[in-house]
Amino acid sequence: MNLSLQDRTAIITGAGSGIGRAIAEAFAAQGARVQIVDIAADQAGATAADIQAAGGRADARVCDISDQSAVKGLVAEILADTGRIDILVNNAGIAHIGTAGNTEESDFDRIYRVNVKGVYNCLHAVLPEMERARSGVVLNMASVASITGIPDRFAYSTSKAAVFGMTLSVATDYIDKGIRCNCLCPARVHTPFVDGYLAKNYPGKEAEMFAKLSQAQPIGRMANPSEIADLALYLCSDASGFVTGASWPIDGGFMNVHR
C-alpha cells in the first residue's frame, strides 16, 4: 500500500491540537510538508516545532478560517512558500450543545461561521489552485452527527450535515479535474477538548462522565486521534486513488453495532 506523501504540501486546519495535530504528524511522517493552520498561534507553533524536531517539515500558520480574506491571504502565502497545494484537510470545527428550541441565534451563527463557512472559505480558495494543477485531494471532517440524530446537538449536527453535503458536491463538480473529495464521520474521539469539556461541566465527576461517554461507542471506548489520522492518511494518499464522494464512519460501531 503506497501511503507516501513525499514532497506534497498539505494544508490541515485546526492542526494545533487533537485530531488535526495527529493528522499533521502522520502526514509529516510520510514526507509531506504540512501547513499547520490554527487560530491559536501557540498551539500551531508547538505542533510545527514538534514535527520539525522529529525530522519532518512543517510550517505554522495562524488564520481565522471564518474570514474569507484571511483564508485567501493564507493560501497565497502557502503558494508563495511552497509553490503547490496537494492536499486540503478541513478539520477545524467547534462544538455546541442544545436543541432547536434552546439554541441562541448567536450560538447558531458562531457554529455556522466556523463549521460551514470556514470549510467553504478553504474550498473556495484552494480548489482553483488544485484545478489549475489538475490534481488534488480534499478531506472534510464531518461526524456521525451528520448522518444520524444525536440528542442536544442541533446546531452542531446541522453544520456537519452541511459538510457532508459539500463533500458530495465537490466530489461531483471536480471529478473530471483530477480532484478527489471524501469525508470522515467519527464518533467520540479523546482529545484535549473532551478533557476540557468535562472539567468545565462536570467538576469532580470527570472520570464518571468520561466512562459514560466512552461507553456510548459499542466498542467501549473513544477513538484515539492517531486512529482517525491513519484513515485520513489513507484517504489522502495514492492508495485511495479510486475513492471519491465517500463518507467514512470511524465510530467504534456507533452506527451499526448494538450490544
Side-chain angles (χ1 to χ4, degrees), residues 198 202-216 222:
L198 293 176
Y202 302 97
K205 297 184 178 179
E206 292 92 340
E208 175 186 342
M209 289 306 300
F210 182 84
K212 183 177 179 180
L213 293 176
S214 297
Q215 290 301 315
M222 298 185 196

Side-chain angles (χ1 to χ4, degrees), residues 22 24 72-73 93 98 109 112-113 117 130 137 149 189 222 254 259:
K72 287 183 175 180
D109 287 345
Y112 172 84
R113 284 196 306 273
K117 188 170 182 281
M130 289 183 171
V137 181
V189 183
M222 298 185 196
F254 185 87
R259 62 180 177 87

Side-chain angles (χ1 to χ4, degrees), residues 20-74:
R21 178 181 175 122
I23 292 173
E25 291 171 343
F27 284 17
Q30 289 293 333
R33 179 174 177 179
V34 292
Q35 306 301 301
I36 310 298
V37 179
D38 206 286
I39 198 169
D42 56 341
Q43 293 183 346
T47 298
D50 287 347
I51 289 173
Q52 292 163 0
R57 294 181 297 167
D59 303 297
R61 311 277 184 178
V62 179
C63 184
D64 177 358
I65 62 167
S66 71
D67 181 341
Q68 186 170 116
S69 63
V71 172
K72 287 183 175 180
L74 168 75

Side-chain angles (χ1 to χ4, degrees), residues 14-225:
S17 63
I19 295 172
R21 178 181 175 122
I23 292 173
E25 291 171 343
F27 284 17
Q30 289 293 333
R33 179 174 177 179
V34 292
Q35 306 301 301
I36 310 298
V37 179
D38 206 286
I39 198 169
D42 56 341
Q43 293 183 346
T47 298
D50 287 347
I51 289 173
Q52 292 163 0
R57 294 181 297 167
D59 303 297
R61 311 277 184 178
V62 179
C63 184
D64 177 358
I65 62 167
S66 71
D67 181 341
Q68 186 170 116
S69 63
V71 172
K72 287 183 175 180
L74 168 75
V75 170
E77 288 177 8
I78 292 172
L79 284 170
D81 288 347
T82 71
R84 58 192 294 168
I85 297 173
D86 303 285
I87 298 166
L88 169 63
V89 179
N90 282 310
N91 168 75
I94 56 177
H96 181 263
I97 296 174
T99 66
N102 61 28
T103 295
E104 298 295 333
E105 182 180 21
S106 59
D107 291 325
F108 191 89
D109 287 345
R110 182 174 61 92
I111 291 290
Y112 172 84
R113 284 196 306 273
V114 177
N115 291 9
V116 181
K117 188 170 182 281
V119 173
Y120 151 71
N121 285 339
C122 293
L123 293 170
H124 182 72
V126 169
L127 282 170
E129 304 304 326
M130 289 183 171
E131 187 174 0
R132 275 189 273 276
R134 303 291 298 179
S135 176
V137 181
V138 176
L139 181 64
N140 296 324
M141 194 63 64
S143 166
V144 290
S146 70
I147 51 178
T148 190
I150 296 178
D152 296 321
R153 296 296 188 277
F154 172 74
Y156 180 76
S157 295
T158 299
S159 70
K160 290 303 184 178
V163 171
F164 179 87
M166 285 189 278
T167 300
L168 299 180
S169 291
V170 170
T172 299
D173 290 338
Y174 290 88
I175 194 168
D176 59 349
K177 298 175 176 65
I179 299 168
R180 298 188 295 111
C181 183
N182 298 288
C183 69
L184 295 181
C185 295
R188 288 193 177 96
V189 183
H190 187 194
T191 65
F193 172 83
V194 171
D195 295 332
Y197 166 80
L198 293 176
K200 178 182 178 181
N201 293 281
Y202 302 97
K205 297 184 178 179
E206 292 92 340
E208 175 186 342
M209 289 306 300
F210 182 84
K212 183 177 179 180
L213 293 176
S214 297
Q215 290 301 315
Q217 287 73 224
I219 207 168
R221 64 175 178 86
M222 298 185 196
N224 295 314

